[in-house]
């Protein structure tokens, strides 16, 4: 049994290595297609290595016996995000072809709705898969916000940084780590961020329309995060009050 588990673990780890290899292949294709510079190459390689290392560590800790079809979809999406990241890094020297940039980003956004459905239909939903999906989403939004900020200003970075700011705040205020109830508005706002930022990045609209679309995305995100933080704060106070009441009852008895 131990040998079998070791074998399965190696197969799971091999899939992450294949993902890193595909990422490097994509970078090579992009490099040959647009003559990508050192910044794009270096950023893409760092993304590939970091994704492989972090995912391998997470798989080792979770001891999953199978990588699963949904995680394969997410890994493919992460590969596309790595390509988009390389293009954005390269854009500081020369603008990437709009068609290529929009195409890679659009496919990555479309696949965001696929991995969850695959996980549910195949019965392979896991905490690691959900976290992997969320991290890929968050990083894509961050990268897109960096790209759009070059034309609209630094304020756009708030869109990409908000989720990471929330995670950092949760280390200071642990009550922010409490689970949130399912919310359709939250999912809708999260989904619209990538779409709105892609529209802003496409260059298809005049400045005023691009500004309005991006500002709408930021306003919706602030509202969504504010709503969740307020719910978590109220819930933590209620739980703290209930615990104090229990302690008082015990002392009184």
């Amino acid at each position: 049994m131990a040998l079998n588990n070791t074998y399965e673990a190696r197969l799971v780890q091999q899939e992450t290595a294949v993902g890193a290899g595909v990422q490097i292949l994509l970078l090579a294709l992009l490099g040959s297609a647009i003559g990508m510079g050192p910044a794009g190459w270096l950023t893409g390689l760092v993304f590939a290595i970091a994704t492989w290392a972090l995912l391998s560590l997470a798989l080792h800790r979770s001891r999953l016996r199978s990588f699963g079809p949904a995680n394969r979809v997410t890994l493919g999406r992460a590969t596309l995000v790595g390509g988009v990241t390389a293009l954005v890094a390269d854009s500081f020297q020369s603008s990437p072809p709009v068609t290529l940039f929009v195409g890679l980003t659009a496919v990555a956004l479309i696949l965001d709705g696929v991995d969850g459905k695959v996980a549910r239909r195949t019965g392979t939903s896991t905490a690691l898969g959900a976290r992997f999906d969320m991290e890929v989403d968050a990083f894509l939004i961050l990268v897109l916000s960096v790209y759009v900020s070059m034309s609209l200003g630094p304020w756009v970075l708030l869109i990409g940084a908000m989720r990471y700011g929330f995670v950092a705040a949760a280390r200071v205020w642990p009550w922010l780590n409490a689970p949130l109830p399912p919310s359709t508005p939250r999912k809708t706002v999260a989904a619209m961020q990538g779409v709105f930022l892609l529209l802003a990045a496409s260059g298809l609209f005049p400045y005023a329309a691009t500004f309005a679309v991006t500002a709408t995305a930021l306003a919706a995100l602030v509202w969504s995060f504010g709503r969740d933080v307020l719910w978590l704060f109220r819930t933590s106070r209620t739980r703290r009050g209930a615990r104090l009441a229990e302690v008082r009852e015990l002392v009184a008895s």
Side-chain angles (χ1 to χ4, degrees), residues 208-249:
T210 301
F211 185 94
V213 165
T214 309
T216 300
L218 177 58
L221 193 62
V222 170
W223 170 81
S224 180
F225 269 95
R227 176 171 171 264
D228 286 342
V229 169
L230 182 60
W231 186 90
L232 289 168
F233 178 71
R234 289 175 173 173
T235 303
S236 69
R237 291 188 63 182
T238 301
R239 290 173 178 171
R240 189 161 55 246
R243 287 195 296 267
L244 287 173
E246 290 177 359
V247 170
R248 287 170 183 168
E249 288 181 3

Coordinates of all heavy atoms in Angstrom, one line a residue, residues 208-249:
A208 N -13.1 57.8 -22.1 CA -14.2 58.0 -21.2 C -15.0 56.7 -20.9 O -15.3 56.4 -19.7 CB -15.2 59.1 -21.7
A209 N -15.2 56.0 -21.9 CA -15.9 54.7 -21.7 C -15.1 53.7 -20.9 O -15.5 53.0 -20.1 CB -16.4 54.1 -23.0
T210 N -13.8 53.7 -21.3 CA -12.8 52.8 -20.6 C -12.7 53.1 -19.1 O -12.7 52.2 -18.2 CB -11.5 52.9 -21.3 OG1 -11.6 52.5 -22.6 CG2 -10.5 51.9 -20.6
F211 N -12.7 54.4 -18.8 CA -12.6 54.9 -17.5 C -13.9 54.5 -16.7 O -13.8 54.0 -15.6 CB -12.4 56.4 -17.4 CG -12.2 57.0 -16.1 CD1 -11.0 57.2 -15.6 CD2 -13.3 57.3 -15.3 CE1 -10.8 57.7 -14.3 CE2 -13.1 57.8 -14.0 CZ -11.9 58.0 -13.5
A212 N -15.0 54.7 -17.3 CA -16.3 54.4 -16.7 C -16.4 52.9 -16.4 O -16.9 52.5 -15.3 CB -17.5 54.8 -17.6
V213 N -16.0 52.0 -17.3 CA -16.1 50.6 -17.1 C -15.2 50.2 -16.0 O -15.6 49.4 -15.1 CB -15.7 49.9 -18.4 CG1 -15.4 48.4 -18.2 CG2 -16.8 50.0 -19.5
T214 N -14.0 50.7 -15.9 CA -13.1 50.3 -14.9 C -13.5 50.8 -13.5 O -13.4 50.1 -12.5 CB -11.7 50.8 -15.2 OG1 -11.3 50.5 -16.6 CG2 -10.6 50.3 -14.3
A215 N -14.0 52.1 -13.5 CA -14.5 52.7 -12.3 C -15.7 51.9 -11.7 O -15.8 51.7 -10.5 CB -14.9 54.1 -12.5
T216 N -16.5 51.4 -12.6 CA -17.7 50.6 -12.2 C -17.2 49.3 -11.6 O -17.8 48.8 -10.6 CB -18.6 50.3 -13.4 OG1 -19.1 51.5 -14.0 CG2 -19.8 49.4 -13.0
A217 N -16.2 48.7 -12.2 CA -15.7 47.4 -11.7 C -15.1 47.7 -10.2 O -15.4 46.8 -9.3 CB -14.6 46.9 -12.6
L218 N -14.4 48.7 -10.1 CA -13.8 49.0 -8.7 C -14.9 49.3 -7.7 O -14.8 48.8 -6.6 CB -12.9 50.2 -8.8 CG -12.2 50.7 -7.5 CD1 -11.5 49.6 -6.9 CD2 -11.4 51.9 -7.8
A219 N -15.9 50.1 -8.1 CA -17.0 50.4 -7.2 C -17.7 49.2 -6.7 O -18.1 49.0 -5.6 CB -18.0 51.4 -7.8
A220 N -18.0 48.3 -7.7 CA -18.7 47.0 -7.4 C -17.9 46.2 -6.4 O -18.4 45.5 -5.5 CB -19.0 46.3 -8.7
L221 N -16.6 46.1 -6.7 CA -15.7 45.3 -5.8 C -15.6 45.9 -4.4 O -15.6 45.1 -3.4 CB -14.3 45.3 -6.4 CG -13.3 44.2 -5.9 CD1 -13.9 42.8 -6.1 CD2 -11.9 44.4 -6.5
V222 N -15.5 47.2 -4.3 CA -15.5 47.8 -3.0 C -16.8 47.5 -2.2 O -16.8 47.2 -1.0 CB -15.3 49.4 -3.1 CG1 -15.5 50.0 -1.7 CG2 -13.9 49.7 -3.6
W223 N -17.9 47.6 -2.9 CA -19.2 47.3 -2.3 C -19.2 45.8 -1.8 O -19.7 45.5 -0.7 CB -20.3 47.5 -3.3 CG -21.6 47.0 -2.8 CD1 -22.5 47.6 -1.9 CD2 -22.2 45.7 -3.2 NE1 -23.6 46.8 -1.7 CE2 -23.4 45.6 -2.5 CE3 -21.8 44.7 -4.0 CZ2 -24.3 44.5 -2.6 CZ3 -22.7 43.6 -4.1 CH2 -23.9 43.5 -3.4
S224 N -18.7 44.9 -2.7 CA -18.8 43.5 -2.4 C -17.9 43.2 -1.2 O -18.3 42.5 -0.2 CB -18.3 42.6 -3.6 OG -18.4 41.3 -3.3
F225 N -16.7 43.7 -1.2 CA -15.8 43.4 0.0 C -16.3 44.1 1.2 O -16.2 43.5 2.3 CB -14.4 44.0 -0.3 CG -13.5 42.9 -1.0 CD1 -13.3 42.9 -2.3 CD2 -12.8 42.0 -0.2 CE1 -12.5 41.9 -2.9 CE2 -11.9 41.1 -0.8 CZ -11.8 41.0 -2.1
G226 N -16.8 45.3 1.1 CA -17.4 46.0 2.3 C -18.5 45.3 2.9 O -18.6 45.2 4.1
R227 N -19.4 44.7 2.0 CA -20.5 44.0 2.5 C -20.1 42.7 3.3 O -20.6 42.4 4.3 CB -21.4 43.6 1.3 CG -22.6 42.7 1.5 CD -23.4 42.6 0.2 NE -24.4 41.6 0.3 CZ -24.3 40.4 -0.2 NH1 -23.2 40.0 -0.7 NH2 -25.3 39.5 -0.1
D228 N -19.1 42.0 2.7 CA -18.6 40.8 3.4 C -17.9 41.1 4.7 O -18.1 40.4 5.7 CB -17.7 40.0 2.5 CG -18.4 39.3 1.3 OD1 -19.6 39.2 1.4 OD2 -17.8 39.0 0.3
V229 N -17.1 42.2 4.7 CA -16.4 42.5 5.9 C -17.3 42.9 7.0 O -17.2 42.6 8.2 CB -15.4 43.7 5.6 CG1 -14.8 44.3 6.9 CG2 -14.2 43.2 4.8
L230 N -18.4 43.7 6.7 CA -19.4 44.1 7.6 C -20.1 42.8 8.2 O -20.3 42.8 9.4 CB -20.4 45.0 7.0 CG -21.5 45.6 7.9 CD1 -20.9 46.4 9.1 CD2 -22.5 46.5 7.1
W231 N -20.4 41.9 7.3 CA -21.1 40.6 7.8 C -20.2 39.9 8.8 O -20.6 39.4 9.8 CB -21.5 39.8 6.6 CG -22.3 38.6 7.0 CD1 -23.6 38.5 7.1 CD2 -21.7 37.3 7.4 NE1 -24.0 37.2 7.5 CE2 -22.9 36.4 7.6 CE3 -20.5 36.8 7.5 CZ2 -22.7 35.1 8.0 CZ3 -20.3 35.4 7.9 CH2 -21.4 34.6 8.1
L232 N -18.9 39.8 8.4 CA -17.9 39.0 9.2 C -17.8 39.8 10.6 O -17.7 39.1 11.6 CB -16.6 38.9 8.5 CG -16.5 38.0 7.3 CD1 -15.2 38.2 6.5 CD2 -16.7 36.5 7.8
F233 N -17.7 41.1 10.6 CA -17.6 41.8 11.8 C -18.8 41.6 12.7 O -18.6 41.4 13.9 CB -17.4 43.3 11.5 CG -17.3 44.2 12.7 CD1 -16.1 44.2 13.5 CD2 -18.3 45.0 13.1 CE1 -16.0 45.0 14.6 CE2 -18.2 45.8 14.2 CZ -17.0 45.8 15.0
R234 N -19.9 41.7 12.2 CA -21.2 41.5 13.0 C -21.2 40.1 13.5 O -21.6 39.9 14.7 CB -22.4 41.9 12.2 CG -22.6 43.4 11.9 CD -23.7 43.6 10.9 NE -24.0 45.0 10.8 CZ -24.9 45.5 9.9 NH1 -25.6 44.7 9.1 NH2 -25.1 46.8 9.8
T235 N -20.9 39.2 12.7 CA -20.9 37.8 13.1 C -19.9 37.5 14.2 O -20.2 36.8 15.2 CB -20.6 36.8 11.9 OG1 -21.6 37.1 10.9 CG2 -20.7 35.4 12.3
S236 N -18.7 38.1 14.1 CA -17.7 37.9 15.1 C -18.2 38.5 16.5 O -17.9 37.9 17.5 CB -16.4 38.5 14.7 OG -16.4 39.9 14.7
R237 N -18.8 39.6 16.4 CA -19.3 40.2 17.6 C -20.4 39.4 18.3 O -20.5 39.2 19.5 CB -19.8 41.6 17.4 CG -18.8 42.6 17.0 CD -19.3 44.0 16.9 NE -19.8 44.5 18.2 CZ -20.4 45.7 18.4 NH1 -20.6 46.5 17.4 NH2 -20.8 46.1 19.6
T238 N -21.3 38.8 17.5 CA -22.4 38.0 18.0 C -21.8 36.7 18.6 O -22.2 36.3 19.7 CB -23.3 37.6 16.8 OG1 -23.8 38.8 16.2 CG2 -24.4 36.7 17.3
R239 N -20.8 36.1 18.0 CA -20.2 34.9 18.6 C -19.4 35.2 19.9 O -19.5 34.5 20.8 CB -19.2 34.3 17.5 CG -19.9 33.7 16.3 CD -18.9 33.2 15.3 NE -19.6 32.6 14.2 CZ -19.0 32.3 13.1 NH1 -17.7 32.5 12.9 NH2 -19.7 31.7 12.1
R240 N -18.7 36.4 19.8 CA -18.0 36.8 21.0 C -19.0 37.1 22.2 O -18.7 36.7 23.3 CB -17.2 38.0 20.8 CG -16.2 38.4 21.9 CD -15.1 39.3 21.4 NE -15.6 40.5 20.8 CZ -15.5 40.8 19.5 NH1 -14.8 40.0 18.7 NH2 -16.0 41.9 19.0
G241 N -20.1 37.7 21.9 CA -21.1 37.9 22.9 C -21.7 36.7 23.4 O -21.9 36.5 24.7
A242 N -21.9 35.7 22.6 CA -22.5 34.4 23.0 C -21.5 33.7 23.9 O -21.9 33.1 24.9 CB -22.8 33.5 21.8
R243 N -20.2 33.7 23.6 CA -19.2 33.1 24.4 C -19.1 33.7 25.8 O -18.9 33.1 26.8 CB -17.8 33.1 23.7 CG -17.7 32.1 22.6 CD -16.2 32.0 22.2 NE -15.6 33.2 21.7 CZ -15.6 33.6 20.4 NH1 -16.2 32.8 19.5 NH2 -15.1 34.7 20.0
L244 N -19.2 35.1 25.8 CA -19.1 35.8 27.1 C -20.3 35.4 28.0 O -20.2 35.3 29.2 CB -19.1 37.3 26.9 CG -17.8 37.9 26.3 CD1 -18.0 39.4 26.0 CD2 -16.7 37.7 27.4
A245 N -21.5 35.3 27.3 CA -22.7 34.9 28.0 C -22.5 33.5 28.6 O -22.9 33.2 29.8 CB -23.9 34.9 27.1
E246 N -21.9 32.6 27.9 CA -21.7 31.2 28.4 C -20.8 31.2 29.6 O -21.0 30.5 30.6 CB -21.1 30.3 27.3 CG -22.1 30.0 26.2 CD -21.5 29.2 25.1 OE1 -20.3 28.9 25.2 OE2 -22.2 28.9 24.1
V247 N -19.7 32.1 29.5 CA -18.8 32.2 30.6 C -19.4 32.7 31.9 O -19.2 32.2 33.0 CB -17.6 33.0 30.2 CG1 -16.7 33.3 31.4 CG2 -16.7 32.4 29.1
R248 N -20.3 33.7 31.7 CA -21.0 34.3 32.8 C -21.9 33.3 33.5 O -22.0 33.2 34.7 CB -21.7 35.5 32.4 CG -20.9 36.7 32.1 CD -21.6 37.8 31.4 NE -20.8 38.9 31.0 CZ -21.1 39.9 30.2 NH1 -22.4 39.9 29.7 NH2 -20.3 40.9 30.0
E249 N -22.6 32.5 32.7 CA -23.5 31.5 33.2 C -22.7 30.4 34.0 O -23.1 30.0 35.1 CB -24.2 30.8 32.1 CG -25.3 31.7 31.4 CD -26.0 31.0 30.3 OE1 -25.7 29.8 30.1 OE2 -26.8 31.6 29.7

